[in-house]
């Protein structure tokens, strides 16, 4: 069960990041494709599946965030929240593409930190 849920979670992460990058590129080239229903709805479905598989992993493994038992998971979730916030800035309504590019690169950086924490189970703060 754990392996299946973990692979679903990892697949959803890959899909989410791929969709984020595609939407960023389409925004940068001012493509009308970014307004298609597919690119408006599918990221929400993928992110919901990613969230649900992550919650399932919490129940399967017993690693509980915001407790002393799994400080690494708390840090990972914090990184994910920063990634989401920077994703909103990147794909938001601002016209400043330079600022959006820095937000995009920052989002990917925080995602890499979250991935590192998830793989090593090591915290940066403790």
């Amino acid at each position: 069960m754990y392996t299946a849920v973990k692979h679903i979670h990892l697949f959803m992460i890959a899909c989410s990041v791929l969709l984020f990058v595609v939407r960023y590129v389409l925004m940068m080239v001012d493509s009308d494709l970014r307004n298609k229903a597919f690119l408006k709805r599918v990221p929400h479905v993928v992110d919901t599946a990613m969230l649900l598989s992550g919650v399932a992993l919490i129940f399967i493994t017993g690693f509980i965030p915001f407790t002393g038992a799994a400080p690494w998971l708390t840090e990972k979730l914090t990184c994910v929240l920063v990634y989401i916030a920077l994703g909103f800035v990147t794909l938001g309504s601002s016209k400043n593409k330079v600022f959006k590019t820095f937000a995009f690169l920052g989002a990917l950086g925080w995602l890499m930190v979250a991935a590192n924490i998830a793989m090593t189970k090591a915290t940066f703060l403790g």
Side-chain angles (χ1 to χ4, degrees):
M1 180 78 157
Y2 166 76
T3 304
V5 175
K6 178 182 172 184
H7 283 93
I8 290 169
H9 188 66
L10 292 172
F11 180 71
M12 291 299 129
I13 291 168
C15 290
S16 180
V17 173
L18 177 64
L19 286 166
F20 178 57
V21 171
V22 166
R23 292 170 70 198
Y24 168 75
V25 170
L26 291 174
M27 178 206 56
M28 291 304 286
V29 297
D30 294 321
S31 173
D32 290 332
L33 290 176
R34 70 178 191 244
N35 295 321
K36 295 290 183 185
F38 176 83
L39 287 175
K40 292 245 182 221
R41 292 188 182 108
V42 170
H44 299 293
V45 173
V46 169
D47 291 344
T48 300
M50 181 174 51
L51 174 66
L52 292 175
S53 62
V55 170
L57 284 171
I58 287 172
F59 284 106
I60 291 169
T61 64
F63 291 126
I64 309 297
F66 309 105
T67 66
W72 64 270
L73 188 53
T74 302
E75 285 190 18
K76 177 190 169 209
L77 289 175
T78 302
C79 292
V80 170
L81 291 174
V82 175
Y83 164 74
I84 291 168
L86 289 171
F88 277 120
V89 171
T90 300
L91 299 173
S93 61
S94 170
K95 301 288 184 194
N96 189 335
K97 289 186 178 180
V98 173
F99 185 72
K100 288 179 172 230
T101 298
F102 279 109
F104 173 75
L105 295 173
L108 294 181
W110 280 100
L111 185 67
M112 289 172 52
V113 172
N116 182 296
I117 291 170
M119 290 186 294
T120 63
K121 310 286 188 283
T123 64
F124 287 131
L125 300 177

